[in-house]
Amino acid sequence: MKKLSLLALALAATTVLTEVEMAFAQSPGATIEQRKAVMKGNGGAMKALGPMANGSQPWNQATAIQALDTLAKNGGETMTKLFPQGSGPTSGEKTAALPAIWEKWADFQAAAKGQADAATTLLALARANDEAGFKSGFAAMGRACGTCHEPFRAKQ
Ligand code: HEC
């Protein structure tokens, strides 16, 4: 039994390593495409949540949970991993990522964590079916996006 679970652990560790290696092994262009897709996922989630927060759409707990789960998972390390060194403007690819990301990496990491934290707080409210709490707390979610876009993303 002990052997089995050790084997499972070893396998899990290998899987994680492979994923990390792949993130760095792929071309900057592919990484940039991937992070834009994650950001579009963020945008889609915000579009689902915004109208519920301002009351133009009725509260739907399942939709809220799904969207907030996406935002929680997309933040933190999931996001910072998609910004490896060399995937900025110097890559020659079309990207709005500013060099400031790598100059102020700790701030960038904090902003990525900020998204995960804001989403996790709201997710707990959604799971408790606390519509009023969600509504009054939702502004923090938008601020989490802006906190990063303002210093780290080129104006479109
Ligand atoms: C930690 C920093 C950070 C956070 C947090 C963040 N973004 Fe972004 N976002 C960026 C950067 C940098 C880019 C530019 C990426 C590129 O062009 O390579 C971007 C690009 C985007 C894009 C454009 C994607 C495309 O197709 O070019 C959208 C949409 C977007 N973000 C939405 C959001 C939303 C919504 C949130 C909040 C829920 C959010 N982002 C949170 C840094 C962040």
Side-chain angles (χ1 to χ4, degrees):
M1 197 58 203
K2 194 162 185 206
K3 256 194 190 150
L4 255 184
S5 57
L6 271 180
L7 182 64
L9 262 181
L11 277 174
T14 315
T15 312
V16 170
L17 247 185
T18 311
E19 272 170 25
V20 172
E21 279 164 3
M22 272 169 59
F24 285 87
Q26 69 186 6
S27 70
T31 305
I32 291 166
E33 281 314 306
Q34 213 181 329
R35 76 187 175 215
K36 284 181 179 174
V38 167
M39 290 294 173
K40 282 194 182 115
N42 277 351
M46 290 301 278
K47 277 199 188 104
L49 294 167
M52 284 195 273
N54 69 24
S56 63
Q57 285 281 329
W59 169 247
N60 181 316
Q61 187 189 16
T63 303
I65 289 175
Q66 198 186 21
L68 290 165
D69 189 53
T70 298
L71 290 171
K73 287 186 176 139
N74 283 356
E77 265 186 54
T78 304
M79 187 173 285
T80 52
K81 266 202 313 208
L82 293 172
F83 289 86
Q85 282 279 358
S87 68
T90 53
S91 67
E93 303 287 340
K94 200 168 171 291
T95 173
L98 291 174
I101 292 170
W102 297 278
E103 291 157 12
K104 298 184 175 164
W105 183 248
D107 292 352
F108 184 73
Q109 278 178 310
K113 185 176 181 293
Q115 170 174 330
D117 289 349
T120 302
T121 300
L122 289 167
L123 184 57
L125 294 168
R127 288 208 170 112
N129 207 15
D130 183 354
E131 178 185 355
F134 164 79
K135 281 182 170 164
S136 62
F138 183 70
M141 198 66 246
R143 277 199 302 275
C145 313
T147 297
C148 191
H149 287 167
E150 192 53 41
F152 296 124
R153 179 190 178 193
K155 305 276 174 295
Q156 311 291 301

